[in-house]
Structure formats: structure tokens, C-alpha cells
Amino acid sequence: MRYLKSVARGGKRFDLNGKPAGDVTAEEKAAAAKFVQTSKTAKSHKPQPQQKKWLLSS
């Protein structure tokens, strides 16, 4: 996810040696931003686990 957040911000790309390897395109930036936003939305709508009934009765 950290990589996609970086791509969504745009800017330069770097190779594994830390050297510049081009720029993030507008299409890549938009796709990454959409994916990150979708992931955030999915996490916020994740159903909460139900409590066990035996925990509620005394």
C-alpha cells in the first residue's frame, strides 16, 4: 500500500539503486489514487465481528 500511496502523489520514479527512473504518468497516478481511496472505503465499511452470546449472558 505504501508504494501505491507514493505513486498516487506522483513525481519521480526511482529504481532499486535509488537512481531516477522516469516520472509517474497521469494515468498511473489516477489509477493508484483510485485504488487507495477504494481500499480506505472498504476498510471503513468492514463489518464488525459479532459478540458471542455467552459473553453477554451472566
Side-chain angles (χ1 to χ4, degrees):
M1 184 60 80
R2 188 170 69 181
Y3 171 76
L4 289 172
K5 288 179 181 179
S6 295
V7 172
R9 285 192 296 268
K12 301 271 184 204
R13 286 186 180 278
F14 296 91
D15 65 15
L16 296 176
N17 296 317
K19 296 187 175 164
D23 295 322
V24 174
T25 66
E27 293 86 13
E28 292 167 334
K29 184 177 176 179
K34 182 178 179 181
F35 187 86
V36 169
Q37 185 61 41
T38 302
S39 295
K40 285 181 183 177
T41 303
K43 284 183 182 179
S44 68
H45 289 93
K46 188 175 181 181
Q48 297 297 319
Q50 294 182 357
Q51 292 182 337
K52 303 278 187 202
K53 288 184 178 181
W54 59 270
L55 290 175
L56 298 175
S57 59
S58 300

